[in-house]
Amino acid sequence: MTDAAAVAANDAATLTIRDNRTGSEYDVPITDGTIKAADLGKIRTAEDEPGLAVYDPGFVNTASCRSSVTYIDGEQGILEYRGYPIEQLAEKSSFLEVAYLLIKGQLPTKAEYDAWVHEITYHTFVHENVKGFMHGFRYDAHPMGMLMASVGALSTFYPDARNINDADNRHMQIVRMIAKMPTLGAWSFRHAQGKPFVYPDNDLGYTANFLSMLFKMSEQKFEADERLVRALDVLFILHADHEQNCSTNAVRSVGSSQVDPYSAVAAGVAALYGPLHGGANEAVLRMLKRIGKKENIPDFMQGVKDGNERLMGFGHRVYKNYDPRAKIIKKACDDVFEVTGVNPLLEIAQELEKIALEDEYFVKRKLYPNVDFYSGLIYEAFQFPPEMFTVLFAIGRTPGWLAQWLELVQDKEQKIARPKQIYTGDRTLDFVPASERWG
Ligand SMILES: CC(C)(COP(=O)(O)OP(=O)(O)OC[C@H]1O[C@@H](n2cnc3c(N)ncnc32)[C@H](O)[C@@H]1OP(=O)(O)O)[C@@H](O)C(=O)NCCC(=O)NCCS
């Protein structure tokens, strides 16, 4: 399209709606490929009747915000944070630099980066009382439940966090939360194992310190293999944001009440806890273990194609192409297995992928490996129990949740989240007191 044609098309960017109930016609402006729901609300059959609304359970075709954090093109398999391709960030950046990019919107100078790393490193400790109440959980408490409760509880330690209109205050809480999530996550893990909590080691980098808090025993210093540190750092980068997914929507929805960011992020952790969101990599592992050996693959695949079950770790609501994160994780597998030895389930996963990428059933439906297909294998190689997989996801996603929260609280167009409903219940019944109903 020429420039002139583009301008003309833009000028004509309206939608004409004819309401056959009344014969009225409406011109509704189209902006950025969307129409305003409020414009539909002006379409009504009579002054005192409710306006037209959109029915969209799960918000599958509703834009809830304007955002400049993350761009996804599911058809092409593209994921960018603040415009930078995920492949380049995973290869050349670090998790803390990516966190800075997501929160601040641009890459840091050397001085900014050093100050950021310093601030985060020196906020990794939590109040001793946090330790006290984490000990109060049952011996078999799920670490994700512990993480959710303890992040929410931080709001009681930092009551000033509710001052969300002050930029310096917001910055302070963001630093605290990114810094303390690994401490809370590691302590949830240690609690389940009946092991003493390990305090942060501020000589170590973000991810190395996390591994130390997870695995250190009596040694003076825990130094994880650099290749493992890097692989986990990359996994954090890959999970750092994914635009308006379920947990981010939860953070924004709860945050829209202007509550403090700890409470809003606790809502994000809660959403991630659910099996439809954060639990798929665990399901992949269970599937691979059930298949057990390569010879069982053909029968399993036939079952999938007959509709008896799904090939877990395949398919995505947004990606209708190879999930770019899956490609990077597949490469990270090699580095991790070089240190830990190959997980025998890898061979089964690779064979499943090879078959699926050539099989008409999967090709026709545009089903490709997603981020969860290989990540469970890596986490297992680190000796994380499956309950910890989602905790790792939550630590990685924290900068994304906070970047989206920051955008929300500064966006003048945002309002408290309050969707409409289509009421399907009874109306105007006459209440009969219990004494009369029960005779
Ligand atoms: C992620 C997922 C929920 C996306 O679902 P969706 O976009 O709503 O897609 P649908 O459920 O409508 O599936 C479309 C078609 O592909 C099939 N399909 C989707 N995922 C499939 C899978 N993993 N294995 C086999 N078939 C699958 C469906 O049966 C459906 O086939 P049909 O048209 O013959 O009925 C879905 O692909 C899935 O369940 N994947 C496995 C779980 C998983 O890995 N989740 C992690 C996501 S990060």
Side-chain angles (χ1 to χ4, degrees):
M1 204 188 290
T2 62
D3 283 356
V7 170
N10 226 18
D11 283 348
T14 59
L15 177 72
T16 301
I17 300 173
R18 183 186 154 80
D19 186 343
N20 292 325
R21 297 171 301 178
T22 58
S24 304
E25 278 198 2
Y26 303 82
D27 277 339
V28 178
I30 300 174
T31 315
D32 299 322
T34 64
I35 56 169
K36 285 211 169 101
D39 286 338
L40 290 184
K42 293 175 194 155
I43 302 176
R44 51 185 81 211
T45 48
E47 258 321 294
D48 53 354
E49 284 298 311
L52 197 64
V54 175
Y55 178 57
D56 187 10
F59 309 128
V60 288
N61 194 28
T62 298
S64 63
C65 60
R66 293 174 180 280
S67 180
S68 61
V69 182
T70 289
Y71 175 79
I72 299 177
D73 181 335
E75 288 297 327
Q76 306 286 329
I78 292 172
L79 169 62
E80 294 168 358
Y81 298 157
R82 301 285 188 188
Y84 294 97
I86 190 69
E87 292 81 1
Q88 293 181 20
L89 295 171
E91 193 190 335
K92 298 175 190 157
S93 185
S94 66
F95 178 62
L96 283 191
E97 190 182 28
V98 166
Y100 185 99
L101 173 68
L102 286 168
I103 301 285
K104 305 280 182 189
Q106 60 206 15
L107 289 170
T109 61
K110 168 96 174 74
E112 286 166 342
Y113 179 71
D114 290 346
W116 174 248
V117 171
H118 179 85
E119 274 192 298
I120 292 193
T121 307
Y122 284 88
H123 283 91
T124 48
F125 277 72
V126 293
H127 193 290
E128 275 295 289
N129 288 5
V130 172
K131 199 168 116 185
F133 80 72
M134 286 188 92
H135 275 307
F137 282 99
R138 258 181 68 128
Y139 69 97
D140 58 353
H142 195 292
M144 208 44 188
M146 291 180 69
L147 183 69
M148 173 172 61
S150 49
V151 174
L154 288 185
S155 74
T156 67
F157 290 86
Y158 306 109
D160 58 320
R162 68 173 76 107
N163 187 8
I164 62 163
N165 293 319
D166 180 86
D168 292 341
N169 193 296
R170 287 194 301 254
H171 175 80
M172 190 68 255
Q173 314 315 328
I174 286 170
V175 165
R176 282 184 176 140
M177 224 173 317
I178 295 174
K180 293 179 201 308
M181 281 298 259
T183 313
L184 301 176
W187 287 8
S188 314
F189 171 75
R190 299 285 290 203
H191 178 77
Q193 307 224 324
K195 291 180 181 160
F197 295 163
V198 177
Y199 285 108
D201 179 344
N202 289 351
D203 291 338
L204 297 174
Y206 187 85
T207 304
N209 171 49
F210 177 51
L211 288 170
S212 164
M213 290 189 290
L214 288 163
F215 298 119
K216 185 169 181 289
M217 290 307 290
S218 62
E219 60 273 47
Q220 278 298 314
K221 202 163 188 71
F222 182 88
E223 284 178 71
D225 189 293
E226 263 310 308
R227 288 165 293 180
L228 294 184
V229 175
R230 179 65 195 153
L232 194 54
D233 209 65
V234 168
L235 281 157
F236 285 157
I237 293 174
L238 299 184
H239 286 91
D241 198 51
H242 215 228
E243 49 121 299
Q244 306 310 315
N245 57 87
C246 176
S247 57
T248 302
N249 183 57
V251 171
R252 278 182 173 266
S253 183
V254 171
S256 75
S257 74
Q258 302 197 342
V259 74
D260 68 88
Y262 299 101
S263 304
V265 166
V269 177
L272 194 59
Y273 200 174
L276 289 189
H277 191 358
N281 48 15
E282 190 183 335
V284 173
L285 266 191
R286 262 190 272 117
M287 174 190 77
L288 295 175
K289 284 181 181 159
R290 190 157 49 86
I291 296 172
K293 47 186 182 205
K294 269 169 95 173
E295 296 82 81
N296 295 337
I297 290 178
D299 276 355
F300 170 80
M301 284 302 236
Q302 197 50 52
V304 170
K305 291 199 277 183
D306 291 346
N308 301 332
E309 61 182 308
R310 289 201 164 189
L311 174 55
M312 299 312 288
F314 260 69
H316 196 275
R317 171 58 61 78
V318 178
Y319 294 117
K320 300 301 170 197
N321 202 323
Y322 213 107
D323 180 338
R325 300 166 303 170
K327 269 190 204 148
I328 300 165
I329 291 191
K330 205 174 159 191
K331 255 177 44 206
C333 275
D334 298 339
D335 301 336
V336 171
F337 294 149
E338 200 181 288
V339 183
T340 62
V342 174
N343 187 332
L345 299 177
L346 177 68
E347 214 192 354
I348 299 174
Q350 285 170 331
E351 185 64 17
L352 283 172
E353 181 187 338
K354 194 166 145 256
I355 295 173
L357 291 181
E358 286 165 5
D359 191 295
E360 204 215 324
Y361 175 94
F362 296 92
V363 174
K364 209 171 85 192
R365 291 171 176 76
K366 299 188 176 173
L367 300 171
Y368 294 88
N370 60 49
V371 69
D372 293 312
F373 193 62
Y374 288 105
S375 63
L377 287 175
I378 296 193
Y379 294 150
E380 198 178 56
F382 273 90
Q383 302 192 332
F384 287 120
E387 309 84 72
M388 272 300 285
F389 294 179
T390 333
V391 172
L392 302 168
F393 190 157
I395 294 171
R397 182 57 54 90
T398 300
W401 286 332
L402 291 167
Q404 302 265 356
W405 170 78
L406 205 51
E407 209 172 47
L408 165 91
V409 297
Q410 296 179 95
D411 181 348
K412 297 271 180 290
E413 288 186 359
Q414 285 297 325
K415 293 184 186 323
I416 186 165
R418 200 340 184 155
K420 276 183 111 70
Q421 64 166 9
I422 300 171
Y423 179 68
T424 60
D426 292 328
R427 294 276 329 274
T428 58
L429 302 179
D430 276 325
F431 178 74
V432 180
S435 57
E436 289 177 33
R437 291 196 323 275
W438 300 339

